[in-house]
């Protein structure tokens, strides 16, 4: 199973970006999907997750109300729409797939993408 994240870039505070993560080599519709991020000098942290059915989502408090996770099973792709970006959102964003559970625990995710850089200037 391979995950390829894209859509990162350099934006000003208040702008929007949409990240995409294409999953190949597996049965996408069976995976719960998550987004995590790692800022310089910090540990990787949970951002958002969506269940395999798409009916359930969960967000970190720091992004709730600004970020939206969604999925398109026909395209084997999960998205992260990021609005009202802040400098503290600057990080490498990773997508991940969980074949067994749904949740925010990094350790339960089986497959990881390579990450895409998001930089928000003030």
């Amino acid at each position: 199973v391979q995950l390829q994240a894209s859509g990162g870039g350099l934006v000003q505070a208040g702008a929007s970006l949409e990240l995409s993560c294409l999953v190949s080599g597996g049965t996408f519709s069976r995976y719960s999907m998550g987004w995590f991020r790692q800022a310089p000098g910090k540990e990787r942290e949970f951002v958002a997750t969506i269940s395999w059915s798409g009916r359930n989502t969960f967000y970190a408090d720091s992004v709730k109300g600004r970020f939206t996770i969604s999925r398109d099973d026909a395209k084997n792709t999960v998205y992260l729409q990021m609005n009202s970006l802040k400098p503290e959102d600057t990080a490498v964003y990773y997508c991940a797939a969980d074949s067994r559970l749904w949740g925010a625990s990094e350790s339960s995710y089986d497959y990881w993408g390579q990450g895409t850089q998001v930089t928000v200037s003030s």
Side-chain angles (χ1 to χ4, degrees):
V1 179
Q2 294 185 329
L3 286 72
Q4 184 171 355
S6 61
L10 171 63
V11 297
Q12 290 188 331
S16 298
L17 273 178
E18 183 179 66
L19 305 183
S20 301
C21 176
L22 174 64
V23 179
S24 60
T27 305
F28 179 74
S29 60
R30 294 182 181 178
Y31 299 140
S32 294
M33 299 297 299
W35 285 96
F36 294 78
R37 67 186 182 186
Q38 186 168 21
K42 296 186 177 180
E43 294 186 352
R44 189 157 58 186
E45 64 175 5
F46 166 77
V47 175
T49 183
I50 187 167
S51 62
W52 64 270
S53 67
R55 286 194 287 266
N56 302 100
T57 58
F58 181 69
Y59 298 90
D61 287 343
S62 59
V63 307
K64 199 174 297 182
R66 299 187 298 122
F67 290 12
T68 302
I69 188 171
S70 62
R71 64 189 296 154
D72 185 339
D73 286 4
K75 296 182 178 179
N76 287 1
T77 300
V78 62
Y79 303 95
L80 185 68
Q81 176 66 43
M82 306 185 294
N83 299 327
S84 301
L85 282 161
K86 304 175 181 180
E88 50 263 45
D89 294 318
T90 295
V92 176
Y93 283 71
Y94 298 90
C95 58
D98 190 330
S99 63
R100 295 160 294 167
L101 302 171
W102 171 63
S105 175
E106 182 177 335
S107 63
S108 73
Y109 284 80
D110 307 289
Y111 309 106
W112 292 81
Q114 84 288 0
T116 184
Q117 176 71 47
V118 173
T119 303
V120 184
S121 63
S122 58

